Amino acid sequence: MLRLDPFYPIVPDTAWLARLLGEGIKLVQLRLKNVDAGAVGAEIARAMQLCADHRCQLVVNDYWREAITAGADFVHLGQDDLRTADLGMIKAAGIRIGISTHSPKELETALAAAPDYVALGPIYPTKLKEMPWAPQGLDRLAEWRALVRCPLVAIGGITLERVPDALAAGADCAAVVTDIVTNQDPEQQTQNWLEATAPWRNLSTGKPPP
């Protein structure tokens, strides 16, 4: 089974990506926001080069066509994207797929696509954006863990204080946005996250530490 780093920051552009790569992250999602459509391909290409230089796994959010063109090897799709994406084309290009879920029905839809990871959220209340779903909580996370055989990503409202509980409940990694990009010292906070998730990173069994 694919192994994911337990710390999964999500960044809005390559400027943020360059800041965090220097801190030693090994898994990151590029979720481009407010980028001109004509610049998406160039941003993905730059992100790929930056991540290659730092030996970091890059996941491209949403832009699966541009990811194929750029030669990326991992994309993340929301449920709306999943309905319109050409999964056959994506997989033919050798690209791995992560899929967001928020309900049992969405999980069923995601699993039918044979994803390389499934994300569940929001686990906790989040300030990132208005969510139509109530917080899922740790019990739902544990339920998802029993239902999926691929890696499970927890997202939404996860902080340094909460991440041990999320990982212990069954998540393979925690996706983080607000706790990094709104922090007064994102680089130091990234180091804090790397330290907090180190016990899970060093495991060979895939089980949470005692």
Side-chain angles (χ1 to χ4, degrees):
M1 184 175 74
L2 173 70
R3 294 295 301 275
L4 298 176
D5 193 87
F7 174 43
Y8 185 10
I10 298 175
V11 299
D13 54 45
T14 52
W16 268 101
L17 180 60
R19 291 179 68 176
L20 300 192
L21 283 170
E23 302 303 317
I25 62 173
K26 294 303 176 186
L27 174 67
V28 67
Q29 183 183 129
L30 179 66
R31 182 187 285 175
L32 294 171
K33 299 294 182 184
N34 303 317
V35 176
D36 184 86
V40 169
E43 279 285 276
I44 292 174
R46 180 167 185 251
M48 288 174 59
Q49 185 59 61
L50 286 167
C51 286
D53 291 345
H54 290 84
R55 297 183 180 181
C56 177
Q57 173 66 65
L58 173 68
V59 181
V60 177
N61 183 271
D62 292 350
Y63 292 102
W64 60 270
R65 294 179 182 85
E66 291 84 353
I68 291 174
T69 300
D73 61 5
F74 218 133
V75 298
H76 180 92
L77 301 174
Q79 291 285 318
D80 289 341
D81 305 300
L82 185 59
R83 282 190 282 271
T84 58
D86 188 329
L87 296 180
M89 185 182 296
I90 294 171
K91 292 185 177 183
I95 297 179
R96 290 170 167 165
I97 302 172
I99 300 176
S100 294
T101 66
H102 312 86
S103 68
K105 180 61 177 177
E106 289 189 352
L107 177 61
E108 181 182 344
T109 300
L111 294 180
D116 293 281
Y117 77 68
V118 165
L120 172 65
I123 305 302
Y124 299 98
T126 176
K127 300 176 183 178
L128 179 62
K129 58 183 178 180
E130 192 70 27
M131 288 287 190
W133 308 279
Q136 304 286 340
L138 298 177
D139 288 343
R140 176 60 64 85
L141 192 58
E143 178 186 342
W144 253 232
R145 176 70 285 162
L147 294 172
V148 304
R149 296 184 178 180
C150 60
L152 177 60
V153 177
I155 185 171
I158 302 177
T159 62
L160 284 171
E161 295 75 24
R162 291 168 169 170
V163 69
D165 291 337
L167 295 174
D172 292 282
C173 68
V176 185
V177 187
T178 304
D179 203 49
I180 297 295
V181 300
T182 64
N183 193 277
Q184 292 185 348
D185 189 346
E187 289 83 0
Q188 180 58 54
Q189 187 71 343
T190 296
Q191 286 296 321
N192 295 340
W193 269 91
L194 289 168
E195 182 179 350
T197 54
W200 282 266
R201 183 173 299 106
N202 297 330
L203 289 174
S204 59
T205 63
K207 297 179 181 179

